[in-house]
Amino acid sequence: MSPTHETMRELSGLYVLGALAPADLAEFEAHLASCEICRTEVSALRPVAAALPGTVAQVEPPALLRGRVLEAVTGQSTSSHARSRPAAAPIAPWLAAAALLAAAALGGYAVQLRGRITNLEDQLEQAIARVSLADQQVADARRTALDAQFQVAVLAAPDLLRIDLAGLPPAPAASARAFWSRSRGMVFTASSLPALMPGRVYQLWVIPDQGDPISVGLLEPDSSGTLTRVFQTPADIPPPMAVAVSEEPAGGVPLPTGQLYMAGKPV
Ligand SMILES: [Zn+2]
């Protein structure tokens, strides 16, 4: 990259506005021929600059300035006042206008660029969402397939036990059925479980003939109060005297503490 690139790049706004002084213009165009970055910037700025005359009042270089430029080029005086007036005063308004136009062009370019970046970010976000949705669907499908295999294994178990659960006073309409195999686990299906307050969960228990209830797991019914789930149960679990569902704090508890919602004995 040429050492003058940064300097030249700052002129690209003025260049597309046709506002560069002849000496700068020659230098800039020479640089442009060898600098891809500046060429890209210029072609990005052109449409913005082209849109500007419609929105920004055109400023004609004052006659005095035109005269001074012509004089410099041709070596002939076109105005008797040219040399008798200070240069700064008449040039300043035109330069200020050009600087304004350049700033507007760069501002427009920045807006355009920001728009392009936002658009790309949106596309990236959508692509990521699609990928993780696909991942999620694969994981869901795999889990569903495993659950189905597990359910079939439980339901085909030679030591299968069926337990029908009926709703208790907090949930009179609720009902559930548990299929339990000591060797393979439990399939639990429930319906009409009422929605719980935030921070509360349903917990499923096996109540053995002797000793404390054993937690099978937490139940997360859908919005209609329905669920079907498979649970691994400890191999040394004693045959259940009963199966029950209680309401407990989120995360579950080692021993039931809350109200019972459903209970039933093996048929
Ligand atoms: Zn450059």
Side-chain angles (χ1 to χ4, degrees):
M1 208 181 294
S2 147
T4 59
H5 166 71
E6 285 309 322
T7 318
M8 289 292 110
R9 191 177 190 173
E10 287 168 11
L11 298 180
S12 55
L14 288 171
Y15 173 73
V16 295
L17 290 165
L20 280 183
D24 288 341
L25 180 63
E27 199 182 349
F28 184 79
E29 283 182 334
H31 173 73
L32 208 55
S34 67
C35 180
E36 178 68 35
I37 298 172
C38 287
R39 276 202 301 277
T40 307
E41 177 132 330
V42 162
S43 52
L45 283 173
R46 275 198 198 286
V48 184
L52 278 175
T55 52
V56 180
Q58 285 292 282
V59 180
E60 279 295 315
L64 185 60
L65 176 69
R66 195 192 302 271
R68 283 173 56 82
V69 170
L70 284 175
E71 188 185 357
V73 171
T74 62
Q76 290 173 0
S77 173
T78 58
S79 163
S80 58
H81 296 286
R83 277 159 296 183
S84 61
R85 294 273 296 269
I91 292 172
W94 182 73
L95 270 186
L100 263 182
L101 287 175
L106 289 171
Y109 176 56
V111 167
Q112 202 182 36
L113 198 61
R114 251 202 306 281
R116 244 181 265 166
I117 289 170
T118 305
N119 189 27
L120 281 174
E121 282 174 347
D122 285 353
Q123 287 178 21
L124 182 62
E125 221 163 86
Q126 286 167 15
I128 289 170
R130 273 199 299 274
V131 168
S132 51
L133 183 64
D135 283 352
Q136 188 59 47
Q137 284 168 343
V138 168
D140 285 353
R142 191 169 293 148
R143 193 174 311 116
T144 305
L146 282 174
D147 275 10
Q149 279 178 357
F150 192 62
Q151 284 181 40
V152 168
V154 170
L155 296 177
D159 59 345
L160 187 69
L161 206 60
R162 195 184 99 195
I163 301 111
D164 291 333
L165 290 81
L168 296 172
S175 66
R177 182 166 286 178
F179 297 94
W180 180 72
S181 152
R182 174 186 291 219
S183 57
R184 297 184 183 173
M186 183 182 283
V187 175
F188 186 83
T189 174
S191 59
S192 302
L193 275 168
L196 295 178
M197 300 292 284
R200 308 291 292 176
V201 291
Y202 286 114
Q203 192 163 358
L204 178 61
W205 305 92
V206 160
I207 298 157
D209 196 10
Q210 289 177 334
D212 289 331
I214 297 158
S215 173
V216 177
L218 301 180
L219 304 178
E220 285 151 13
D222 64 19
S223 55
S224 67
T226 302
L227 91 146
T228 297
R229 261 212 64 182
V230 290
F231 295 98
Q232 309 270 4
T233 49
D236 59 352
I237 194 170
M241 269 288 294
V243 170
V245 172
S246 66
E247 180 198 345
E248 304 293 351
V253 287
L255 286 172
T257 59
Q259 264 191 307
L260 288 182
Y261 276 61
M262 291 193 290
K265 291 179 190 314
V267 292

